[in-house]
């Protein structure tokens, strides 16, 4: 049991270099070699092994710069389908171990840690770590503490392949004193600057800071972190994903562009992906936003409310088109696009639009069902809008038919 006699605590399990570790599960040749996993277009490194990190390669670094630093590295295109298989295996093992498990992200879990007579939290952390490695083949690190924020800090500080439980106040203080405050998830950028102005630069500084000051600087969410790092759990473990307030699809355009026809093709692609999610979660969008980011650092935004909430392709595209015009900067090179649906309502519970003829509605629903059925049988995007024909490289590459956002039930999205 814990040093204070407790029998329950909160655990955090995080895979070590998950994408690289997953590639090593199916190809042992990659063991102990510098390995980088590349994003959609193979343009940048989205994950790297510790060996490659030691050469100075950073996450998000363009491939040509990574190759200069690590010319003997092995670069592999990401395969989210495979990563999800291993992630689900880890989730099943976690659920065998704990009564409460939160599927936080593809490689990260929070769980209720419980020990019985003669057992220790340190032993629980080590046995869970070893079991995941033996059954899934992925190395992980486990931290156990009084709160989820402390548990995550402990596991992050124990990487790689660590297993540690910290439940005593003195040991917590030693840990917090050595960690920059930016190690806490949710504190970075402007929030860190605000704290720094008051001399709060480490986690221990934050723990000892006046609670009212922290709330004034970081609002209620910052105050919650203050309670958490002082050992008072205020953030629950979510065994089921909370209901979505928004859904979005988008991301990097791969190859930057200033061509309107390509931007429109990306818009249609992202709307089609968004509709998949709306229909999966059985909700309809009440408003659409289109965000386009440019090389200059400028961000364009367009938004429009729908007459009635909908998940129909024709109505959503009709709303998204003027949004793109609002977000578009003529002549500027776009790098990213996001299509966001909010004001979500349960599907089928909104009033019908007065100017939407029944025959048009019935036909659109029939087309959507046929499209879903064929794509479900033949393959995702086997049937799609002709507007996306301007993106042949995307649809010719099977890796692009799957995205980390499509791994559902996680709470981080």
């Amino acid at each position: 049991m814990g040093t204070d006699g407790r029998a329950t605590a909160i655990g955090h399990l995080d895979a070590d270099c998950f994408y690289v570790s997953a590639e090593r599960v199916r190809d042992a040749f990659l063991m102990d070699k510098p390995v980088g996993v590349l994003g959609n277009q193979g343009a940048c490194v989205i994950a790297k092994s510790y060996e490659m990190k030691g050469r100075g390669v950073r996450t998000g670094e363009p491939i040509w710069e990574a190759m200069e630093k690590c010319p003997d590295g092995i670069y592999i295109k990401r395969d989210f389908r495979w990563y999800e298989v291993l992630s689900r295996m880890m989730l099943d093992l976690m659920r065998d171990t704990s009564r409460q498990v939160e599927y936080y992200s593809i490689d990260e879990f929070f769980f209720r840690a419980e020990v019985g007579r003669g057992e220790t939290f340190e032993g629980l952390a080590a046995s869970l770590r070893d079991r995941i490695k033996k059954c899934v083949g992925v190395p992980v690190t486990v931290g156990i503490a009084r709160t989820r924020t402390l548990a995550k800090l402990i596991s992050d500080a124990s990487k790689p392949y660590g297993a540690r439980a910290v439940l005593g106040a003195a040991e917590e203080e030693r840990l917090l004193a050595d960690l920059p405050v930016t190690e806490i998830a949710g504190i970075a950028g402007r929030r860190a600057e605000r704290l720094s102005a008051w001399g709060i630069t480490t986690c221990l500084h934050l723990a000892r800071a006046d609670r009212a000051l922290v709330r004034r600087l970081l609002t209620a969410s910052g105050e919650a972190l203050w309670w958490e790092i002082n050992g008072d759990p205020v953030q629950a473990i979510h065994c089921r994903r909370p209901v979505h307030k928004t859904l979005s699809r988008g991301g990097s355009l791969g190859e930057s562009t200033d061509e309107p026809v390509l931007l429109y093709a990306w818009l249609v692609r992202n709307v089609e992906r968004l509709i998949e999610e709306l229909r999966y979660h059985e909700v309809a969008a009440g408003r659409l936003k289109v965000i386009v980011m440019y090389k200059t650092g400028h961000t364009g935004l367009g938004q429009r409310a729908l007459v009635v909430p909908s998940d129909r392709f024709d109505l959503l595209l009709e709303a998204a088109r003027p949004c793109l015009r609002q977000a578009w900067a003529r002549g500027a090179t776009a790098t990213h696009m996001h299509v966001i649906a909010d004001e979500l309502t349960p599907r089928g519970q909104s009033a019908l639009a007065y100017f939407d003829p029944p025959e048009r509605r019935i036909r659109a629903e029939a087309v959507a069902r046929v499209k879903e059925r064929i794509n479900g049988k033949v393959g995702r995007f086997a049937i799609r809008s002709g507007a996306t024909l301007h993106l042949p490289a995307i649809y010719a590459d099977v890796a692009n038919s799957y995205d980390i956002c499509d791994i559902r039930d996680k709470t981080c999205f």
Side-chain angles (χ1 to χ4, degrees):
M1 287 191 178
T3 54
D4 58 354
R6 66 170 54 230
T8 64
I10 294 178
H12 177 253
L13 182 144
D14 193 12
D16 301 333
C17 302
F18 179 56
Y19 298 166
V20 172
S21 298
E23 295 295 344
R24 285 171 170 168
V25 167
R26 59 183 175 184
D27 189 351
F29 174 78
L30 301 174
M31 287 292 186
D32 303 321
K33 295 182 174 62
V35 178
V37 175
L38 305 178
N40 279 1
Q41 311 300 319
C44 69
V45 176
I46 61 171
K48 74 279 182 193
S49 66
Y50 288 104
E51 294 83 0
M52 185 169 281
K53 183 179 179 181
R55 307 285 189 88
V57 176
R58 295 173 286 108
T59 299
E61 189 150 14
I63 179 65
W64 51 90
E65 293 179 12
M67 291 186 72
E68 282 185 8
K69 295 177 180 176
C70 189
D72 60 335
I74 301 171
Y75 298 91
I76 302 168
K77 195 162 188 179
R78 93 290 186 279
D79 180 356
F80 286 131
R81 289 183 191 277
W82 172 239
Y83 306 158
E84 183 180 6
V85 169
L86 298 185
S87 178
R88 298 284 182 189
M89 289 174 68
M90 288 197 288
L91 178 61
D92 289 343
L93 287 168
M94 295 293 296
R95 287 175 172 161
D96 284 344
T97 303
S98 172
R99 289 182 294 169
Q100 294 181 14
V101 177
E102 178 177 328
Y103 187 24
Y104 182 71
S105 72
I106 189 172
D107 64 341
E108 201 172 348
F109 307 83
F110 289 97
F111 63 98
R112 178 185 172 94
E114 295 178 281
V115 292
R117 187 181 297 276
E119 298 174 325
T120 65
F121 287 113
E122 288 82 359
L124 173 64
S127 67
L128 187 54
R129 175 198 63 186
D130 296 344
R131 190 174 179 215
I132 296 284
K133 182 70 169 67
K134 179 181 178 183
C135 298
V136 185
V138 172
V140 302
T141 296
V142 181
I144 295 177
R146 293 191 288 168
T147 69
R148 58 186 286 158
T149 301
L150 286 170
K152 180 167 171 56
L153 286 172
I154 291 164
S155 68
D156 288 347
S158 304
K159 280 181 168 293
Y161 205 54
R164 187 179 177 190
V166 176
L167 293 126
E171 195 176 357
E172 280 176 4
E173 284 205 357
R174 285 194 291 274
L175 172 82
L176 297 177
D178 293 335
L179 296 176
V181 72
T182 49
E183 289 294 310
I184 299 174
I187 297 183
R190 291 182 180 176
R191 290 187 128 199
E193 288 176 11
R194 283 186 215 131
L195 294 174
S196 179
W198 288 83
I200 302 170
T201 58
T202 71
C203 293
L204 186 59
H205 289 159
L206 183 65
R208 290 180 173 171
D210 179 72
R211 178 174 60 84
L213 172 66
V214 173
R215 185 184 178 93
R216 184 154 57 88
L217 295 174
L218 304 181
T219 71
S221 64
E223 183 186 358
L225 294 175
W226 182 90
W227 285 109
E228 286 264 317
I229 62 170
N230 276 294
D232 292 304
V234 295
Q235 296 179 338
I237 294 173
H238 300 286
C239 299
R240 287 187 177 182
R241 199 206 178 288
V243 175
H244 286 281
K245 293 182 179 176
T246 63
L247 284 169
S248 70
R249 282 297 179 268
S252 167
L253 302 182
E255 190 173 341
S256 304
T257 182
D258 60 357
E259 290 290 331
V261 68
L262 289 180
L263 284 175
Y264 181 65
W266 277 105
L267 178 77
V268 174
R269 170 180 162 82
N270 290 329
V271 167
E272 289 188 321
R273 292 175 61 212
L274 180 63
I275 288 172
E276 286 182 332
E277 292 309 298
L278 291 170
R279 295 182 74 87
Y280 176 83
H281 294 287
E282 298 184 338
V283 293
R287 187 172 58 170
L288 274 191
K289 293 179 184 174
V290 174
I291 295 174
V292 181
M293 301 164 71
Y294 297 91
K295 270 189 174 179
T296 55
H298 168 72
T299 297
L301 167 66
Q303 54 184 320
R304 173 161 291 201
L306 280 82
V307 177
V308 295
S310 179
D311 63 359
R312 269 171 47 186
F313 177 72
D314 56 337
L315 297 181
L316 293 186
L317 188 58
E318 191 175 291
R321 197 179 292 120
C323 294
L324 177 59
R325 280 200 294 271
Q326 285 179 300
W328 180 46
R330 184 186 296 274
T333 302
T335 59
H336 295 73
M337 177 189 294
H338 299 276
V339 180
I340 302 167
D342 60 11
E343 298 182 3
L344 303 178
T345 61
R347 188 164 185 258
Q349 293 189 15
S350 57
L352 300 178
Y354 184 75
F355 294 104
D356 187 19
E359 60 273 17
R360 182 188 178 197
R361 186 171 61 252
I362 293 169
R363 187 172 60 249
E365 180 60 29
V367 169
R369 287 181 179 171
V370 168
K371 187 176 174 183
E372 271 183 339
R373 195 159 55 242
I374 293 176
N375 284 344
K377 198 169 185 178
V378 179
R380 195 180 181 204
F381 300 123
I383 292 184
R384 56 188 167 90
S385 167
T388 61
L389 293 175
H390 296 287
L391 305 173
I394 299 300
Y395 293 96
D397 183 347
V398 293
N400 284 301
S401 67
Y402 204 73
D403 190 275
I404 189 171
C405 294
D406 304 325
I407 302 168
R408 297 175 174 120
D409 305 325
K410 307 181 303 301
T411 63
C412 65
F413 286 111

